[in-house]
Amino acid sequence: MRIGAPKETSRGEARVALTPESAKQIQKLGHECLIETGAGLAAGFNDDAYRDAGVTVVDSADTLWQDAEVVIKVREPSDTEAARLRQGQTLIAFFWPAQNEALLEKCKAQGASVIAMDMVPRISRAQKMDALSSMANIAGYRAVIEAGNNFGRFFTGQVTAAGKVPPAKVLVIGAGVAGLAAIGTATSLGAVVRAFDVRPEVSEQIESMGAEFLFLDFEDSQDGSESGGYASPSSPEFREKQLECFREQAPDVDIVITTALIPGRPAPKLWLEDMVAAMKPGSVIVDLAAEKGGNCDLTQPDERIVSDNGVIVIGYTDFPSRMATQSSLLYATNIRHMLTDLTPEKDGVINHNMDDDVIRGATVTHQGEVTFPPPPPKVKAIAAAKPKKKEKEPTPEEKKATEASAFKAQTKRQVGILAIGGALMLLLGQVAPASFMQHFIVFVLACFIGFQVIWKVSHSLHTPLMAVTNAISGIIILGAILQIGSGSAVVSVLAAISVLIATINIVGGFLVTRRMLAMFQKS
């Protein structure tokens, strides 16, 4: 089939749904690729690059929509583009069906099948098609870059001849894909990062990235997870605690990045006007939810404004387009994986299998019917267990009683072992010669003491003990060398084997110790 990518008509949109790299992969599925002339220029791909990849470059949008059997786009179609759809044609693009009911009905009336990339179910098998995550990752990264561009100081702390510069304090609200990307970027730039999310299971992810998770003192805190890995709306009581936490943070933080969005709903207001007023002049707020109304009271979509107290509020809605090349590469890869699932036989024939969980979940119109909303996913996102409440700290008397009990149990166990060992020694002494018993007792005591010494050392410190084992291996070599010249052939062979094994031990010990010491040396 012919897969066509028209030039995006939305204002400021620089991305393209087909790249030369993805076109080569799509052609391996048996499809022919078309692209409108100039469609990839804003993303850094000229027409010659597409021609080199075997893509047919057409002169106009009308020709492309007429020739292509599958149209791939970034943004939802305009009314003009929707009118170009025809019976049996397939459209793959971001669509937002919950917010575009009229457009949904128009595509249904045209008889086209529409696959919404924003409706790809969040299950493991569909991660390679998750365009929302791909774009959110870029948006989170770019949000920090935009914040740094508008922030008048360093991100990282510095000590200079002119004085000490404190690090910037960044607060990220919402720890989804965009939030985690923002946390990682801000941390790598040296900022002190704090983050908040209504889902308790993300605290470990946040802390593993070097940021501080803001916990609420709220005993009846709900699990904010919803099916599909998104956050669910919070209760009024929880919201009040949440806003109280943000009010405490407002005077202290320098940069706030808000990412809170719930699919199909307006963006929740989390950073209120009084919080903006409490921030220091020169602080920056980047609202990634601006397109859906914004998380900040002062946010104006596609605008950069400055509040009365000098706080910069950025409400850009085109963060992925500000990195159009990278965004196009990732989005085109998501599209290519969707086409791979739609072409299971790699024969260039689209098989729109509505029994497939991913295809069914993403399809919003098919065969003249509206298929949105999809049925509930068979596999729901499993939320991690809530952090357990801290147990009551034992009193000093309870600690002493516990330690005494453990010491008594250990003493009894050791006495029992010694008693059994003594009995065995006594039995052995009845039949063994006196010279053997003297050496054997020394051997057993040496093994016991050595075991106790090594056992008490933390496992993380075992490597430094290589130096000690080298000394022990040296003693073994000396003893074995003295026995090599004995008259017994068996003793000589055993002594030679001892020398060989102990030598290997020493060489290996020196190598391990050398590597360990090299870890602490500056290159």
Side-chain angles (χ1 to χ4, degrees):
M1 285 191 169
R2 291 183 295 274
I3 313 294
K7 186 176 181 179
E8 297 295 324
T9 57
S10 298
R11 183 174 64 89
E13 182 56 68
R15 292 171 291 179
V16 64
L18 183 71
T19 64
E21 181 181 345
S22 69
K24 293 177 182 178
Q25 300 298 322
I26 292 172
Q27 288 167 8
K28 291 180 181 178
L29 300 174
H31 299 297
E32 179 185 347
C33 293
L34 314 175
I35 192 165
E36 183 182 349
T37 182
L41 282 177
F45 307 109
N46 59 35
D47 291 346
D48 288 337
Y50 284 105
R51 291 190 182 97
D52 292 341
V55 180
T56 302
V57 179
V58 298
D59 295 333
S60 67
D62 288 334
T63 303
L64 185 135
W65 283 86
Q66 184 177 355
D67 291 349
E69 294 159 295
V70 177
V71 177
I72 55 177
K73 277 178 50 62
V74 179
R75 295 271 188 167
E76 64 270 22
S78 63
D79 289 337
T80 303
E81 290 173 326
R84 288 171 172 161
L85 289 169
R86 63 179 185 273
Q87 183 75 31
Q89 196 173 34
T90 299
L91 171 68
I92 304 176
F94 283 120
F95 199 88
W96 313 108
Q99 289 82 35
N100 291 308
E101 293 184 9
L103 185 61
L104 194 64
E105 289 294 332
K106 189 166 188 176
C107 292
K108 166 197 167 184
Q110 296 293 112
S113 297
V114 176
I115 295 177
M117 293 302 290
D118 48 284
M119 290 298 298
V120 171
R122 288 199 163 180
I123 59 177
S124 298
R125 186 170 67 84
Q127 286 180 353
K128 59 188 178 182
M129 308 171 217
D130 191 355
L132 281 177
S133 293
S134 298
M135 299 302 103
N137 182 30
I138 292 174
Y141 172 86
R142 185 69 188 194
V144 177
I145 302 302
E146 292 291 341
N149 187 44
N150 287 273
F151 187 53
R153 294 195 286 109
F154 290 128
F155 265 71
T156 185
Q158 294 189 11
V159 178
T160 69
K164 184 178 180 181
V165 179
K169 296 177 181 177
V170 178
L171 172 62
V172 178
I173 300 176
V177 176
L180 291 174
I183 291 169
T185 307
T187 302
S188 66
L189 290 174
V192 175
V193 185
R194 304 163 189 170
F196 176 84
D197 197 283
V198 298
R199 297 166 295 175
E201 66 267 21
V202 301
S203 60
E204 293 182 359
Q205 299 177 49
I206 290 169
E207 291 168 354
S208 69
M209 299 179 74
E212 175 190 358
F213 184 76
L214 299 178
F215 288 97
L216 294 185
D217 184 15
F218 190 69
E219 292 184 358
D220 297 327
S221 176
Q222 68 209 33
D223 181 356
S225 298
E226 194 173 49
S227 177
Y230 295 98
S232 61
S234 55
S235 66
E237 296 80 8
F238 184 85
R239 176 176 167 78
E240 286 304 316
K241 282 289 184 181
Q242 187 180 20
L243 296 179
E244 181 183 330
C245 173
F246 295 159
R247 287 190 178 95
E248 292 176 0
Q249 294 293 322
D252 190 40
V253 296
D254 302 303
I255 296 171
V256 177
I257 298 174
T258 65
T259 70
L261 271 177
I262 301 172
R265 300 183 179 96
K269 296 297 182 183
L270 300 177
W271 203 257
L272 308 183
E273 192 170 353
D274 64 301
M275 301 175 192
V276 179
M279 297 178 73
K280 298 185 290 287
S283 300
V284 180
I285 300 171
V286 182
D287 195 339
L288 290 180
E291 193 169 9
K292 301 301 178 183
N295 298 134
C296 177
D297 276 345
L298 302 186
T299 298
Q300 295 182 16
D302 295 315
E303 298 290 338
R304 174 192 181 275
I305 66 168
V306 181
S307 68
D308 294 338
N309 62 323
V311 176
I312 300 168
V313 183
I314 298 173
Y316 300 150
T317 61
D318 60 346
F319 286 104
S321 278
R322 290 171 182 259
M323 298 179 65
T325 302
Q326 186 65 73
S327 298
S328 299
L329 288 169
L330 292 180
Y331 182 71
T333 300
N334 296 140
I335 292 284
R336 187 252 298 176
H337 284 303
M338 176 63 76
L339 287 169
T340 301
D341 270 27
L342 288 167
T343 320
E345 302 298 328
K346 298 183 180 181
D347 55 357
V349 177
I350 294 294
N351 178 18
H352 204 121
N353 181 14
M354 293 295 277
D355 292 328
D356 184 285
D357 292 338
V358 178
I359 296 174
R360 174 64 187 89
T363 301
V364 294
T365 67
H366 184 58
Q367 294 180 346
E369 295 182 2
V370 173
T371 58
F372 173 81
K378 297 176 184 177
V379 181
K380 294 186 177 182
I382 301 174
K386 294 182 180 180
K388 295 181 179 178
K389 294 182 179 179
K390 292 184 179 179
E391 297 181 359
K392 186 180 178 181
E393 188 73 18
T395 62
E397 292 77 12
E398 291 174 338
K399 286 183 178 179
K400 287 182 180 179
T402 303
E403 291 174 359
S405 176
F407 179 75
K408 287 180 181 178
Q410 184 179 9
T411 302
K412 287 181 180 179
R413 186 167 58 252
Q414 290 178 345
V415 170
I417 293 173
L418 288 174
I420 294 172
L424 292 175
M425 287 286 186
L426 183 61
L427 292 173
L428 186 61
Q430 300 298 319
V431 294
S435 59
F436 172 81
M437 287 304 299
Q438 290 175 357
H439 289 87
F440 185 70
I441 290 173
V442 172
F443 171 75
V444 170
L445 289 176
C447 290
F448 178 76
I449 294 171
F451 175 79
Q452 290 296 322
V453 169
I454 301 299
W455 187 257
K456 298 295 183 183
V457 177
S458 172
H459 291 283
S460 61
L461 299 178
H462 278 178
T463 302
L465 290 177
M466 280 296 177
V468 179
T469 60
N470 282 348
I472 296 173
S473 298
I475 296 173
I476 294 173
I477 286 180
L478 289 175
I481 289 174
L482 293 175
Q483 297 299 322
I484 286 179
S486 67
S488 172
V490 175
V491 172
S492 297
V493 171
L494 291 176
I497 293 174
S498 299
V499 171
L500 175 62
I501 294 175
T503 303
I504 294 173
N505 233 6
I506 290 175
V507 174
F510 277 122
L511 288 175
V512 171
T513 304
R514 184 181 180 84
R515 289 185 180 181
M516 180 197 70
L517 294 175
M519 292 169 60
F520 300 96
Q521 294 176 349
K522 292 184 178 180
S523 57

